């Protein structure tokens, strides 16, 4: 648990504070490093292969943070959709419910309904994404790989 929390903290710090992060944190790019001279010492995490790095400017980081916080704080559909729109996402009908549910799917807690194909079909019958911001896609990829 401690290693996972550290991994999430490091990536959150890279994305939201530094604005430069590894967008490919799959298990092959994460090492557990044991101190050979002191085996009783807690192992450290080693992050390798920064071949897929994304940079975010301050404005992008703030907009992404607002979206993620609105989802974590269980804000209204209108608030979440507004933060999503501020990032530049465009959909066919600009459905507030679709944007809020899509945001919760991407950055919210995993729910059983997310495994239901009908739920996804119904969601995508409401609206469809026409443009998805590149900076957000790399943050989402990172979050998805860390889940």
């Amino acid at each position: 648990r401690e290693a996972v929390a550290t991994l999430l903290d490091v990536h959150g710090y890279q994305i939201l504070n530094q604005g430069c992060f590894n967008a490919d944190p799959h298990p092959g790019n994460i090492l557990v490093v044991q101190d050979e001279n002191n085996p009783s010492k807690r192992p450290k995490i080693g992050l390798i292969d920064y071949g897929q790095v994304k940079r975010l400017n301050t404005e992008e980081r703030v907009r992404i943070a607002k979206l993620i916080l609105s989802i974590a704080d269980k804000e209204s559909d209108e608030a979440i959709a507004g933060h999503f729109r501020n990032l530049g996402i465009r959909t066919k009908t600009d459905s507030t419910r679709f944007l809020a549910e899509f945001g919760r799917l991407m950055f919210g807690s995993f729910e059983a309904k997310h495994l239901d194909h009908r739920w996804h079909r119904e969601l995508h019958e409401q609206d469809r994404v026409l443009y998805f911001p590149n900076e957000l896609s790399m943050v989402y990829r990172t979050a998805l790989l860390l889940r």
Side-chain angles (χ1 to χ4, degrees):
R1 286 184 185 244
E2 186 178 329
V4 171
T6 299
L7 199 56
L8 295 173
D9 286 348
V10 165
H11 283 84
Y13 183 80
Q14 288 178 351
I15 292 167
L16 299 172
N17 291 84
Q18 299 298 303
C20 183
F21 64 98
N22 177 6
D24 195 26
H26 62 77
N29 288 342
I30 301 166
L31 305 175
V32 177
V33 182
Q34 183 66 53
D35 185 344
E36 292 177 10
N37 298 322
N38 191 354
S40 63
K41 194 174 181 182
R42 279 197 173 140
K44 294 182 180 181
I45 295 174
L47 304 175
I48 63 170
D49 189 3
Y50 276 68
Q52 191 169 357
V53 171
K54 176 66 181 161
R55 292 187 185 277
L56 301 170
N57 65 41
T58 301
E59 187 176 302
E60 291 166 336
R61 294 192 319 258
V62 167
R63 288 193 306 246
I64 290 167
K66 286 181 178 181
L67 172 64
I68 293 171
L69 285 172
S70 70
I71 293 165
D73 290 344
K74 300 185 184 330
E75 290 185 5
S76 68
D77 285 1
E78 292 77 15
I80 294 169
H83 292 303
F84 226 153
R85 289 180 186 111
N86 288 340
L87 280 158
I89 192 169
R90 289 194 332 265
T91 66
K92 187 174 182 180
T93 67
D94 194 35
S95 165
T96 294
R97 183 175 179 276
F98 172 83
L99 287 170
E101 286 296 319
F102 194 49
R104 289 182 187 109
L105 172 65
M106 291 175 58
F107 295 111
S109 298
F110 182 75
E111 298 179 33
K113 69 182 179 183
H114 297 150
L115 295 173
D116 185 348
H117 179 73
R118 289 174 299 184
W119 182 85
H120 286 272
R121 187 176 59 242
E122 289 169 9
L123 179 65
H124 290 283
E125 285 172 356
Q126 291 177 38
D127 204 347
R128 133 179 114 88
V129 175
L130 300 176
Y131 173 76
F132 195 86
N134 181 47
E135 63 274 9
L136 189 58
S137 67
M138 300 310 277
V139 171
Y140 174 58
R141 173 184 165 70
T142 302
L144 186 63
L145 287 170
L146 290 171
R147 282 184 164 184

